[in-house]
């Protein structure tokens, strides 16, 4: 099947109808073809056409690319959004991955409600992605490669050219007399995709001419299999997820190992974190789920931490280190921002709580747990160790050392917004002051 604008229109009609089509325009052949074909069918589309060009600043002739994109858009009477980004490449980072993530992040900012971003990946790109995922040991999710459409920002991201080969797109470009920019980095064999594209795929195609089509079909089969897995994982997850969003350890242990891994992936993705690799998943199943009840194991990856306490599995952003010896003075009136993401302390009038007279006349400061602290709760005859109070409340260990302790005149007066210690509680249930601690700690 040759590529013609009418075929593109048919594909777009199978997708949701957006308010705007944002066409990712690099200046290369594939994106120029997509832009030109979209211009040819614009009268049959409900959505407005807008091109988006992202300048990574990685090429010496990046300004020439941007100028070419502007000229093409002007000729086709299509509005152009130009975005310049500065990449931060850390040691050990993949330049390909960092550039791709930065590019999509930049475009996402311009995708508004009911917009659809169109990118020009084709069937050969899909086949290469399947091969790369195979070489990385990916499962059905990775082998599903690139979906035709997915949610993106406030709108959608669609790849309408996945049914066409690069040869078909090139043929269209030449027939229409289109001009484009050749990316010199595509010849750099240090990049895995370039090596696969230039050295391996042509060799395989000599033996299996329909390779791109059949690999793309395999990707579709894997996507369907993954949908079934996801459906079963969601059903199992509903049975073991706790009201706080944590997972029951015993509930996970009761599942067959493959289903346990599927549920973990589903939960981690639902919580908005990057999926762990196989090695980390294996560690979760062995080191974390099988740990003794009195242990509190920690496994981390990609800005994410997984922790266990009793029968609960917690997932969170990596905790910021904090200084437990820090002492902070507080006027006791305005909101107090705690360090290391520990939250904000506020006060409010209440029917009981801290004695207002002692609160207003004393010197207030915030400290953190050092060990040995004791608190006599209102109405109790004896004091209790802070350690026992926190254990009885079931507070996870990582929160205990980060809990603000409120001192008045160097005496422990309150433990965050949990307890008030004698002799600082209001007498005979008179009006008092209550504390509230707002944070995102799990």
């Amino acid at each position: 099947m040759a590529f013609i604008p009418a075929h593109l229109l048919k594909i777009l009609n199978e997708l949701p109808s957006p308010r705007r089509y944002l066409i990712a325009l690099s200046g290369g052949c594939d994106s120029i073809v997509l832009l030109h074909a979209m211009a040819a069918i614009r009268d049959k589309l409900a959505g407005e056409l807008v091109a988006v060009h992202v300048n990574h600043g990685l090429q010496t002739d990046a300004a020439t690319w941007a100028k070419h994109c502007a000229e093409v858009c002007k000729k086709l009477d299509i509005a152009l959004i130009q975005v310049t980004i500065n990449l931060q490449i850390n040691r050990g980072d993949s330049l390909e991955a960092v550039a791709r993530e930065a590019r999509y992040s930049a475009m996402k900012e311009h995708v508004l409600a009911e917009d659809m971003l169109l990118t020009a990946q084709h069937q050969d790109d899909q086949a290469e992605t399947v091969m790369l995922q195979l070489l990385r040991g990916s499962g059905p999710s990775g082998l599903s490669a690139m979906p035709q459409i997915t949610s993106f920002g406030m709108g959608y991201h669609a790849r309408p050219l996945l049914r066409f080969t690069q040869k078909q797109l090139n043929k269209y470009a030449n027939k229409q007399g289109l001009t484009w920019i050749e990316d010199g980095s595509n010849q750099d064999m240090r990049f895995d995709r370039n090596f696969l594209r230039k050295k391996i795929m042509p060799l395989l195609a000599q033996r299996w001419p329909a390779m791109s089509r059949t690999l793309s079909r395999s990707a579709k089969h894997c996507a369907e299999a993954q949908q079934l897995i996801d459906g079963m994982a969601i059903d199992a997850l509903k049975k073991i997820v706790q009201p706080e969003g944590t997972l029951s350890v015993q509930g996970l242990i009761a599942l067959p190992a493959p289903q346990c891994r599927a549920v973990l992936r589903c939960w981690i993705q639902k919580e908005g974190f990057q999926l762990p690799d196989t090695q980390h998943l294996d560690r979760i199943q062995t080191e974390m789920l099988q740990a003794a009840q009195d242990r509190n194991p920690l496994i981390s990856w990609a800005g994410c931490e997984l922790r266990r306490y009793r029968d609960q599995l917690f997932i969170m952003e990596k905790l910021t280190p904090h200084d437990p010896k820090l002492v902070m003075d507080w006027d006791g009136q305005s909101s107090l921002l705690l360090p290391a993401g520990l939250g904000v302390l506020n006060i409010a009038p209440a029917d009981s709580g801290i004695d207002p007279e002692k609160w207003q006349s004393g010197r207030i400061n915030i400290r953190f747990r050092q060990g040995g602290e004791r608190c006599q709760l209102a109405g109790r005859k004896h004091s209790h160790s802070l350690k026992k109070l926190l254990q009885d409340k079931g507070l996870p260990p990582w929160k205990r050392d980060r809990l603000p302790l409120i001192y008045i005149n160097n005496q422990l007066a309150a433990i965050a917004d949990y307890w008030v210690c004698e002799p600082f509680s209001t007498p005979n249930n008179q009006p008092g002051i209550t504390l509230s601690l707002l944070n995102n700690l799990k």
Side-chain angles (χ1 to χ4, degrees):
M1 178 177 66
F3 174 77
I4 57 174
H7 291 157
L8 175 61
L9 177 62
K10 182 179 179 182
I11 292 168
L12 293 176
N13 285 338
E14 296 170 0
L15 305 177
S17 180
R19 183 179 65 90
R20 293 191 306 171
Y21 289 101
L22 273 66
I23 305 157
L25 182 63
S26 67
C29 180
D30 305 333
S31 66
I32 291 289
V33 166
L34 177 59
L35 184 77
H36 187 271
M38 289 295 292
I41 60 174
R42 80 172 90 200
D43 293 342
K44 299 180 176 63
L45 298 171
E48 175 189 356
L49 302 189
V50 179
V52 182
H53 175 73
V54 178
N55 181 354
H56 300 91
L58 294 176
Q59 304 290 343
T60 56
D61 54 354
T64 303
W65 293 15
K67 181 181 178 182
H68 178 71
C69 290
E71 291 172 350
V72 172
C73 288
K74 183 178 181 180
K75 183 177 179 181
L76 296 174
D77 193 24
I78 294 176
L80 173 64
I81 298 172
Q82 299 212 42
V83 183
T84 300
I85 56 177
N86 295 313
L87 294 181
Q88 298 296 325
I89 310 295
N90 298 318
R91 186 174 180 180
D93 285 347
S94 163
L95 178 60
E96 290 176 285
V98 171
R100 180 175 59 251
E101 184 176 341
R103 181 168 63 252
Y104 279 111
S105 178
M107 290 189 290
K108 184 179 290 186
E109 294 182 7
H110 296 277
V111 177
L112 307 179
E114 298 182 40
D115 283 352
M116 182 181 289
L117 175 70
L118 301 182
T119 53
Q121 290 94 347
H122 46 70
Q123 194 176 92
D124 297 309
D125 292 325
Q126 183 79 306
E128 291 166 7
T129 301
V130 174
M131 290 293 292
L132 286 169
Q133 295 290 357
L134 274 173
L135 293 169
R136 292 166 183 159
S138 299
S141 179
L143 295 176
S144 299
M146 299 178 289
Q148 185 173 51
I149 186 169
T150 186
S151 297
F152 186 74
M154 299 174 65
Y156 302 96
H157 172 202
R159 299 176 175 90
L161 303 184
L162 288 179
R163 301 178 193 178
F164 305 97
T165 65
Q166 187 169 42
K167 184 177 180 180
Q168 290 170 328
L169 299 182
N170 286 343
K171 186 175 181 179
Y172 175 86
N174 290 322
K175 184 176 180 180
Q176 297 296 325
L178 306 183
T179 57
W180 59 89
I181 301 290
E182 293 289 353
D183 186 350
S185 67
N186 287 339
Q187 307 302 318
D188 191 338
M189 293 299 110
R190 292 176 298 175
F191 298 130
D192 291 342
R193 186 176 287 273
N194 289 347
F195 177 79
L196 192 65
R197 178 180 300 159
K198 300 295 183 180
K199 300 291 185 180
I200 306 302
M201 300 300 273
L203 187 62
L204 293 175
Q206 290 178 18
R207 182 67 178 249
W208 295 282
M211 176 191 62
S212 292
R213 185 170 66 252
T214 54
L215 285 178
S216 295
R217 186 165 65 239
S218 291
K220 183 179 179 181
H221 294 329
C222 288
E224 291 173 350
Q226 188 61 47
Q227 286 178 356
L228 293 175
I229 294 170
D230 290 344
M232 291 185 288
I234 289 171
D235 290 341
L237 177 62
K238 291 176 181 177
K239 298 176 182 177
I240 63 173
V241 69
Q242 305 300 300
E244 305 84 4
T246 60
L247 285 191
S248 164
V249 172
Q250 293 305 313
L252 283 169
I253 292 174
L255 297 174
Q259 190 176 13
C260 176
R261 287 194 292 272
V263 169
L264 282 167
R265 289 192 189 97
C266 179
W267 175 60
I268 292 168
Q269 199 165 36
K270 182 174 177 290
E271 291 294 317
F273 293 100
Q274 182 176 319
L275 290 177
D277 57 24
T278 302
Q279 182 181 6
H280 282 92
L281 268 178
D282 289 343
R283 287 184 59 200
I284 294 170
Q285 288 188 287
T286 54
E287 298 175 24
M288 186 158 283
L289 298 186
Q290 302 302 325
Q293 278 287 96
D294 60 345
R295 301 295 298 275
N296 307 119
L298 163 66
I299 295 175
S300 62
W301 70 91
C304 165
E305 288 184 344
L306 200 66
R307 295 174 181 266
R308 172 180 171 170
Y309 177 59
R310 296 179 177 174
D311 186 51
Q312 289 181 294
L313 215 58
F314 296 76
I315 190 166
M316 65 196 77
E317 294 181 0
K318 286 188 176 181
L319 293 178
T320 304
H322 85 107
D323 181 6
K325 295 183 180 180
L326 179 68
V327 177
M328 303 178 67
D329 291 328
W330 187 20
D331 62 11
Q333 300 299 320
S334 56
S335 297
L336 180 65
L337 177 64
L338 300 174
L342 298 182
V344 178
L345 270 174
N346 292 293
I347 67 165
D351 294 335
S352 61
I354 301 174
D355 187 332
E357 181 178 344
K358 292 179 179 178
W359 181 262
Q360 293 164 6
S361 63
R363 180 187 176 189
I364 306 169
N365 56 50
I366 308 300
R367 306 179 191 179
F368 297 92
R369 186 180 173 202
Q370 302 295 307
E373 294 89 354
R374 300 188 69 82
C375 173
Q376 181 181 343
L377 303 180
R380 304 281 182 91
K381 293 183 178 179
H382 305 287
S383 66
H384 302 275
S385 70
L386 178 57
K387 179 179 179 180
K388 178 169 174 40
L389 288 172
L390 296 176
Q391 285 178 338
D392 290 347
K393 190 168 184 61
L395 205 66
W398 57 90
K399 291 185 69 172
R400 298 175 193 175
D401 295 337
R402 290 171 165 78
L403 207 62
L405 308 180
I406 295 86
Y407 282 75
I408 299 178
N409 295 332
N410 294 319
Q411 187 175 351
L412 182 59
I415 302 163
D417 49 5
Y418 291 137
W419 301 286
V420 176
C421 307
E422 293 292 13
F424 297 97
S425 62
T426 53
N428 302 319
N429 291 323
Q430 292 180 11
I433 290 172
T434 186
L435 297 168
S436 65
L437 174 62
L438 304 176
N439 64 31
N440 294 320
L441 290 182
K442 293 191 176 183

